[in-house]
Amino acid sequence: MTHRIIHLDTVDSTNRYVRELDIAEDVDMLVCVADYQTAGRGQGTNTWESERGKNLLFSVKVKPHKVAPAQQFILSEACALALKDVLDTLVDHITLKWPNDIYWNDRKLSGTLIETALAAGGIRQCVFGVGLNVNQHVYHSDAPNPVSLWQILGQETDTDVLLARIIESLSNRLQQVYEGRHLEVEQAYHDALYRREGWYLYRDAHGQFKANIVKVLPDGHLLLRDEEGKERFYAFKEVEFVQIYN
């Protein structure tokens, strides 16, 4: 797939910036990367802490081919897998925390904010906004569990090289989606899930409970089975993983 990269020193939000640009006919992916974001955010009201020039802050805008609105979670899976494919070559113990965070052991290495726009019964455009912790040494926010590649590896990683590899990986994963190979993507995503096996604590509107992951449905809902054998379906933000930090 062809792509174009726009590099900015400072921007309020790479998602906002790239969302307002048109993609040329001969470009499959429009990428905006910034050294610093003044209003970078995660899901909901969450913010993303990042020192200037230390991490990868970028957004990728695509126009998905043949992906129905009801199947749009496959795009989230493809993006998460693209990041994991690259990170697996650098460190061990990378998993995907539903719906699209990247974890190293029990610590958050990357988060993605995905925004889709629909038109005429289809997906007009999709924007993946990625924050990947690369070379930051210390975190000062109240986020409970951030980690960077520098903290894991003890050395700096070239962010330009890393971005190029991620773009290539995302191109490959999106090609799988566009070719209709959804089952391959869904299976790879399921196999890579954080806490895929075993019983763990979760919390919903009614309180805490222990459950295991059954699967993630094509529409993105998480299916859990509690200790009583009851199946529980959740959309994003309806349930949270209970984390215990030392």
Side-chain angles (χ1 to χ4, degrees), residues 18-23 28-32 59-63 124-128:
V18 78
R19 190 173 59 235
E20 297 176 1
L21 297 178
D22 291 328
I23 301 180
D28 298 301
M29 298 190 294
L30 182 59
V31 184
C32 175
S59 296
V60 182
K61 180 177 178 178
V62 299
K63 293 183 177 180
R124 181 169 57 85
Q125 66 181 34
C126 178
V127 176
F128 307 99

Side-chain angles (χ1 to χ4, degrees), residues 62 114 149 239:
V62 299
I114 299 177
L149 285 175
V239 67

Side-chain angles (χ1 to χ4, degrees), residues 168-235:
E168 180 182 9
S169 180
L170 180 58
S171 175
N172 293 336
R173 285 296 184 178
L174 287 176
Q175 192 62 44
Q176 281 184 293
V177 173
Y178 297 163
E179 291 173 358
R181 295 153 59 192
H182 289 200
L183 289 179
E184 292 179 37
V185 175
E186 290 169 354
Q187 186 62 54
Y189 178 85
H190 179 267
D191 291 345
L193 280 174
Y194 174 67
R195 293 183 173 179
R196 180 174 63 87
E197 297 179 349
W199 297 85
Y200 295 93
L201 280 176
Y202 295 84
R203 183 186 296 113
D204 63 11
H206 304 289
Q208 290 189 8
F209 61 96
K210 189 171 285 188
N212 62 13
I213 294 176
V214 178
K215 62 181 177 180
V216 176
L217 303 179
D219 64 1
H221 281 75
L222 177 66
L223 173 57
L224 301 176
R225 181 181 292 112
D226 64 25
E227 291 181 297
E228 298 178 355
K230 178 183 176 181
E231 291 189 341
R232 301 173 178 232
F233 296 83
Y234 294 99

